[in-house]
Amino acid sequence: MKIYTKKGDKGTTGLFGGSRVSKDDVRIECIGTLDEANSTIGLLRVKLGNDHEWQPNLHKIQKDLMDMMSHLARPSDAKKENKNPMPEDGAAFCENWIDTLESEMTSPSDYFLLPGGNEVSALCHVARTQMRRGERRLVSLIKTDTVHEAIPAYINRLSDLFFTLARAEMDKAGVAEEKWQLFLYKRFKAPEEK
């Protein structure tokens, strides 16, 4: 089977179930953005090396993203069933990993940070921002069609995770964070809550 079909030469693409939409349809924008994020995670994994402790979890995230993209490619009125798994544990998986990472760091997360630090941290920030863009496209899609509730929760948590991974990398490498401002909720806490 050839990689090219020529069916998309006039600006449309096929969805799960057989229907076709414009390549700038909100559904395709959403899937394409998550695909970009998945590719960035792939680059991150290459930079980390095969034996890095993050590899199993990042591999799981990449597979889960592929499954979620396949579900997003299926309109709710499609007759064909999508048999790929739905990663319903995704948000909890991210929360558990975030909690573990934060417990191992030398300082809490109180500030907005300037992205950078070192190459791995910067790549985590690229993945974070691509997840946020994917989330915005996902919100637009949800306004037009039904999406399983596990997907927006997982995508939302993934951007939090990649922020935390960026911090964890800098903490481990001994690289100082470039702080911008305190998180808003930290700025307005009552003195006894601080």
Side-chain angles (χ1 to χ4, degrees), residues 91-183:
F93 165 79
C94 290
E95 290 165 10
N96 290 334
W97 195 7
I98 289 168
D99 292 346
T100 298
L101 291 164
E102 287 187 333
S103 72
E104 296 169 351
M105 282 189 268
T106 56
S107 64
S109 175
D110 294 332
Y111 289 85
F112 290 101
L113 304 176
L114 300 183
N118 63 25
E119 191 172 16
V120 168
S121 175
L123 275 172
C124 290
H125 279 295
V126 172
R128 172 185 64 81
T129 57
Q130 289 170 332
M131 288 295 177
R132 283 292 185 218
R133 183 157 44 93
E135 183 181 26
R136 294 192 297 273
R137 299 291 76 79
L138 182 58
V139 168
S140 298
L141 175 58
I142 290 169
K143 291 176 181 176
T144 67
D145 198 7
T146 303
V147 171
H148 193 288
E149 64 183 7
I151 295 177
Y154 196 174
I155 299 301
N156 184 29
R157 219 66 87 250
L158 279 169
S159 59
D160 297 331
L161 172 63
F162 280 97
F163 176 80
T164 308
L165 288 170
R167 291 195 67 240
E169 165 61 21
M170 291 178 66
D171 187 78
K172 185 176 179 181
V175 178
E177 296 177 337
E178 292 185 281
K179 298 173 181 175
W180 179 58
Q181 288 183 359
L182 270 172
F183 293 140

Side-chain angles (χ1 to χ4, degrees), residues 33-132:
T33 304
L34 296 177
D35 191 28
E36 288 177 40
N38 206 3
S39 296
T40 299
I41 296 168
L43 178 57
L44 173 61
R45 291 183 63 204
V46 170
K47 293 289 183 184
L48 291 172
N50 292 336
D51 298 327
H52 195 280
E53 61 184 333
W54 294 355
Q55 286 288 359
N57 285 350
L58 292 175
H59 181 253
K60 170 186 164 45
I61 289 168
Q62 285 195 292
K63 288 176 64 177
D64 287 349
L65 280 166
M66 295 299 285
D67 288 332
M68 287 189 285
M69 287 187 286
S70 80
H71 285 282
L72 292 172
R74 181 191 179 275
S76 60
D77 61 357
K79 292 179 180 168
K80 186 176 179 182
E81 183 183 351
N82 186 337
K83 295 184 180 178
N84 290 318
M86 176 64 70
E88 297 188 48
D89 66 335
F93 165 79
C94 290
E95 290 165 10
N96 290 334
W97 195 7
I98 289 168
D99 292 346
T100 298
L101 291 164
E102 287 187 333
S103 72
E104 296 169 351
M105 282 189 268
T106 56
S107 64
S109 175
D110 294 332
Y111 289 85
F112 290 101
L113 304 176
L114 300 183
N118 63 25
E119 191 172 16
V120 168
S121 175
L123 275 172
C124 290
H125 279 295
V126 172
R128 172 185 64 81
T129 57
Q130 289 170 332
M131 288 295 177
R132 283 292 185 218

Side-chain angles (χ1 to χ4, degrees), residues 3-14 20-23:
I3 188 65
Y4 56 87
T5 65
K6 303 183 181 180
K7 293 180 180 177
D9 290 355
K10 298 199 182 292
T12 65
T13 190
R20 296 191 71 78
V21 295
S22 173
K23 288 185 177 183

